Amino acid sequence: MKPYRWAMVLVVLGLGAWLSHQVLQSRYQVSYHTIKRSLSLLIREKAIQELANGKFMIPAFGSATWKPRVVCIVPSIDSYAMAFGQHDEAVFRALQAQCEQANITLDVYLIFAVNKFTENAPPFIDHRLRHRRTGRTLDAADLATDDEQAILGYVHCIPWVPENIDKRIVAALTGLKKPVAIIDETSMLSLPAGSGSKTWMRKFTVATGAQPAQAIARHLLALGHRRIAFISADHQYLWSQLRLKEVSNLFADAGISDGVIPFVAECDQWPFARAQERCDLASLEGFYASWREKIPEEYCAEMDYAIDRIREDTCERADHRFLLTPLLKQALADSGITAWVAVNDTTAAISLAFLKSHNKRVPEDLSLIAFDDSTAAMRSNITSYNFNTHAIATGIIGFVLERKPFSDASEHPPGFLVDRGSTRKTAAHLHTTGNS
């Protein structure tokens, strides 16, 4: 282990900034002399600072004589801004916080990723990476010579669809002989063959792991639900398909082969494109352009932002509701269904409003549960699965900093259900168990 790695792992492991020889010996199972020698090297490098009480802390970043980095390679639709799903974004924010605590620079390179709704878009532009801050470009083949001594490891995020997998970049990362954590949200990536991939690479998943859907299925089975609806208007995405598959599989394993009824829809356009057709947004934009000329200049930037939000966020939510409504009507018509599983919290919030408008009580008449544990679930008081993105980020940084061979090529730190009371035991189950 390189000497500066000792300083890097201290904060990441959650032990705090103030550490003693005894704590380090216990953590790493090495002798006092090994710890003493390593700490002496770190003190000479000004990577750590010895305190009067015999403990150590990581000093201010500016006092170090080296500048350690973790290189993060993430997709970008327009080659300038990061393109994340909400879970990958949460992991990235946690990574930034972890690196900041450990005095590590998180360097971001962007790759232009294909989007299935973008016509004639190539999967990547010439396999080149663009530095987010400086704009400097770098070919995948040049990764090995990019200031190698300062780089502790790499994080490569592959979200959404299989077309986002750039095998050339993955192959280049494999040959670097440095830790590479891959956040694979396609569940389609196979690590390159060879001894390096098992030792130096590890896959992490966030939204596409099996465990979240299984946790929700177990929760509902334990409450006595034997016929449930799975509701999604985003079924073109792999994460929606995998959630339905895992919930159905667990019900089948419990002997209920037809217990999960899918109410799903797929779309092949951006929500804005569909809304543009249905709502005549061109007329709105024409009206806005003429109105904009009459308002004070200082107002224009904020008004432009508001119009952009209508184009993007509002259109997306409205179109989502438009697609969901017929699915919700079909699900409600099935009187044998006792619980709805929403593919995400946005779907759950729309479902809750729909049920209230039809005089259905949650959870008295129908249980409701979802994925994400976002602010939408908190506001609407919906039981939802938390993916524990902080733990995933901690696992990623821990892997990058400790750099040791792993027998398990992938990792998904377990999340947890946040129970807000939107699910309950079925009437039949209450009658059988005799409690509420």
Side-chain angles (χ1 to χ4, degrees):
M1 179 181 285
K2 292 183 180 180
Y4 57 70
R5 289 190 179 278
W6 290 100
M8 297 304 102
V9 297
L10 306 186
V11 173
V12 173
L13 293 173
L15 298 176
W18 309 83
L19 297 170
S20 64
H21 290 84
Q22 291 78 11
V23 172
L24 292 171
Q25 279 182 261
S26 174
R27 170 63 182 86
Y28 294 104
Q29 297 296 302
V30 294
S31 69
Y32 171 84
H33 296 291
T34 298
I35 294 291
K36 183 68 175 176
R37 184 170 60 251
S38 299
L39 291 174
S40 296
L41 287 171
L42 287 169
I43 291 169
R44 287 204 297 271
E45 288 286 330
K46 297 183 180 180
I48 64 171
Q49 179 180 342
E50 186 170 12
L51 306 175
N53 60 2
K55 295 185 178 182
F56 303 88
M57 67 174 290
I58 299 176
F61 176 75
S63 65
T65 58
W66 37 265
K67 190 176 181 179
R69 298 190 293 143
V70 170
V71 173
C72 191
I73 301 172
V74 300
S76 170
I77 291 177
D78 59 10
S79 78
Y80 287 95
M82 291 185 293
F84 278 139
Q86 66 172 348
H87 305 297
D88 300 317
E89 180 181 352
V91 170
F92 181 80
R93 290 173 61 192
L95 282 173
Q96 284 185 310
Q98 299 270 0
C99 287
E100 185 69 24
Q101 283 183 305
N103 293 336
I104 301 170
T105 297
L106 187 64
D107 249 355
V108 178
Y109 280 92
L110 302 174
I111 47 178
F112 186 83
V114 69
N115 188 285
K116 65 185 296 184
F117 300 125
T118 305
E119 294 182 2
N120 303 318
F124 297 94
I125 295 180
D126 208 15
H127 297 277
R128 296 191 59 83
L129 293 75
R130 181 189 296 272
H131 194 276
R132 190 186 185 202
R133 181 173 53 82
T134 66
R136 171 175 173 255
T137 58
L138 182 73
D139 190 82
D142 298 328
L143 283 170
T145 59
D146 182 35
D147 195 13
E148 182 180 0
Q149 293 303 314
I151 296 176
L152 307 180
Y154 299 82
V155 178
H156 182 26
C157 181
I158 310 175
W160 301 334
V161 291
E163 288 89 342
N164 282 338
I165 298 174
D166 188 333
K167 294 181 180 178
R168 183 176 172 184
I169 289 178
V170 174
L173 291 171
T174 306
L176 296 180
K177 302 299 182 185
K178 290 203 173 188
V180 179
I182 297 182
I183 306 173
D184 177 24
E185 289 308 299
T186 68
S187 292
M188 303 288 285
L189 174 68
S190 297
L191 296 181
S195 59
S197 62
K198 178 175 285 189
T199 303
W200 299 98
M201 304 189 83
R202 195 167 197 184
K203 290 201 301 180
F204 293 79
T205 60
V206 186
T208 54
Q211 197 265 345
Q214 292 172 354
I216 282 181
R218 290 192 187 97
H219 177 75
L220 293 177
L221 285 169
L223 295 177
H225 296 279
R226 298 298 180 262
R227 185 174 176 84
I228 67 172
F230 180 89
I231 299 171
S232 172
D234 300 290
H235 212 56
Q236 71 276 13
Y237 294 117
L238 183 63
W239 47 266
S240 176
Q241 298 164 23
L242 290 176
R243 289 173 190 178
L244 172 59
K245 176 184 175 182
E246 293 300 332
V247 171
S248 301
N249 285 346
L250 205 67
F251 265 68
D253 290 343
I256 312 168
S257 58
D258 57 350
V260 181
I261 315 301
F263 298 90
V264 299
E266 298 183 16
C267 59
D268 56 1
Q269 286 180 296
W270 278 116
F272 173 65
R274 293 193 297 271
Q276 207 167 22
E277 296 172 359
R278 294 168 181 150
C279 304
D280 189 18
L281 290 180
S283 297
L284 172 64
E285 291 173 358
F287 169 79
Y288 174 69
S290 61
W291 177 74
R292 188 181 187 278
E293 295 175 355
K294 304 172 185 177
I295 64 175
E297 183 179 350
E298 293 78 8
Y299 282 57
C300 290
E302 295 298 332
M303 296 300 177
D304 290 346
Y305 178 80
I307 290 295
D308 286 339
R309 297 282 67 76
I310 290 176
R311 289 194 191 100
E312 298 173 16
D313 299 344
T314 306
C315 284
E316 183 174 356
R317 289 196 301 270
D319 191 73
H320 199 64
R321 190 182 299 271
F322 182 90
L323 293 174
L324 274 174
T325 299
L327 303 178
L328 300 178
K329 289 180 178 178
Q330 294 170 32
L332 189 60
D334 189 331
S335 60
I337 290 174
T338 58
W340 286 7
V341 177
V343 74
N344 55 30
D345 290 337
T346 301
T347 299
I350 294 173
S351 300
L352 181 62
F354 174 87
L355 289 170
K356 287 182 178 179
S357 70
H358 286 75
N359 299 316
K360 295 294 182 181
R361 301 167 301 164
V362 173
E364 292 83 359
D365 300 323
L366 200 65
S367 289
L368 180 62
I369 195 169
F371 297 82
D372 293 347
D373 188 31
S374 66
T375 53
M378 182 181 66
R379 291 191 191 111
S380 300
N381 223 24
I382 296 168
T383 297
S384 186
Y385 185 88
N386 185 302
F387 287 91
N388 203 1
T389 51
H390 179 80
I392 295 170
T394 300
I396 289 171
I397 290 294
F399 167 71
V400 168
L401 297 183
E402 291 197 90
R403 192 176 70 176
K404 59 177 72 170
F406 286 85
S407 57
D408 181 10
S410 64
E411 178 170 312
H412 184 93
F416 48 90
L417 272 177
V418 179
D419 192 344
R420 297 187 174 93
S422 66
T423 61
R424 66 176 296 178
K425 292 180 179 179
T426 63
H429 199 63
L430 284 170
H431 178 74
T432 302
T433 58
N435 54 39
S436 57

